[in-house]
């Protein structure tokens, strides 16, 4: 890995706001290398992913890789995919699912990491937290509207719904996602990786 990226990782681990994660033995769960062509920005690691030390290492990740049209080897190659969630640590359980990523985390670290990835051509925004942060006032009033308007953000950015198995009702109510967005996503991913 690049020296500057190594320094940033060390700073993240040492930062006082992450002391609780250090105490739990958590490593920051993200991946980035200078040659990355695609930035994948999601929410925060789930418990299984954090415990395994591997991002998207769960049923959601399997579904996501199917949507992307890539295998595990491609997905986990940091020279192809930079995996940069809105928080690099599992935030814990809330009343209805996992807690949200910390609000100030992405603002503190993302830009510094992305500045070290000069070959990025595509940013994939998975879920509402990533979309609100990166699209700002270009995001629509709801996640569904933002994802449906995906063509407005092309060719450099594409918003997705979260691939969680808990979202099966959303997917069944919105068949246009699999019919329109997923094929467009696969084309964009293929083109981005072909340039690497």
């Amino acid at each position: 890995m690049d020296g500057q990226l190594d320094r940033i990782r060390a700073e993240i681990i040492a930062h006082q706001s992450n002391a609780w994660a250090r105490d739990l033995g958590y490593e920051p769960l993200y991946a980035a290398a200078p040659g990355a062509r695609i930035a994948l920005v999601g929410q925060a690691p789930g418990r299984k992913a954090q415990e395994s030390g591997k991002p998207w290492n769960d049923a959601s990740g399997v579904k996501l890789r199917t949507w992307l049209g890539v295998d595990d080897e491609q997905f986990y190659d940091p020279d192809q995919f930079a995996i940069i969630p809105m928080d690099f640590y599992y935030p814990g359980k809330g009343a209805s699912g996992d807690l949200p990523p910390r609000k100030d985390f992405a603002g503190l670290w993302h830009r510094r990491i992305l500045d070290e990835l000069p070959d990025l051509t595509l940013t994939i925004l998975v879920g509402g937290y990533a979309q609100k942060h990166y699209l700002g006032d270009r995001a629509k009033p709801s996640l569904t509207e933002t994802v449906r308007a995906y063509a407005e953000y092309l060719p450099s950015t594409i918003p997705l719904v979260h691939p969680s198995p808990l979202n099966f009702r959303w997917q069944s109510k919105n068949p246009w996602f699999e019919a329109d967005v997923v094929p467009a996503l696969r084309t964009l991913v293929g083109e981005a990786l072909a340039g690497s």
Side-chain angles (χ1 to χ4, degrees), residues 54-120:
K54 197 171 183 181
W56 293 98
N57 187 26
D58 53 19
S60 296
V62 172
K63 184 75 162 180
L64 177 62
R65 289 187 284 282
T66 301
W67 289 349
L68 296 169
V70 299
D71 59 24
D72 287 10
E73 185 179 350
Q74 291 170 295
F75 185 76
Y76 288 113
D77 178 354
D79 277 311
Q80 295 188 54
F81 284 89
I83 301 172
I84 308 175
M86 292 299 290
D87 193 330
F88 299 160
Y89 299 95
Y90 171 58
K93 256 307 186 223
S96 58
D98 294 342
L99 291 169
R102 290 171 287 174
K103 286 182 180 173
D104 58 346
F105 191 91
L108 192 57
W109 302 109
H110 279 204
R111 185 75 264 150
R112 291 184 60 199
I113 293 168
L114 292 170
D115 284 347
E116 300 301 316
L117 312 180
D119 296 330
L120 288 178

Side-chain angles (χ1 to χ4, degrees), residues 37-38 69-70 74 79-81 121 188-196:
R37 305 288 299 181
I38 298 171
V70 299
Q74 291 170 295
D79 277 311
Q80 295 188 54
F81 284 89
T121 60
L188 289 165
V189 167
E191 289 172 350
L193 296 183
S196 58

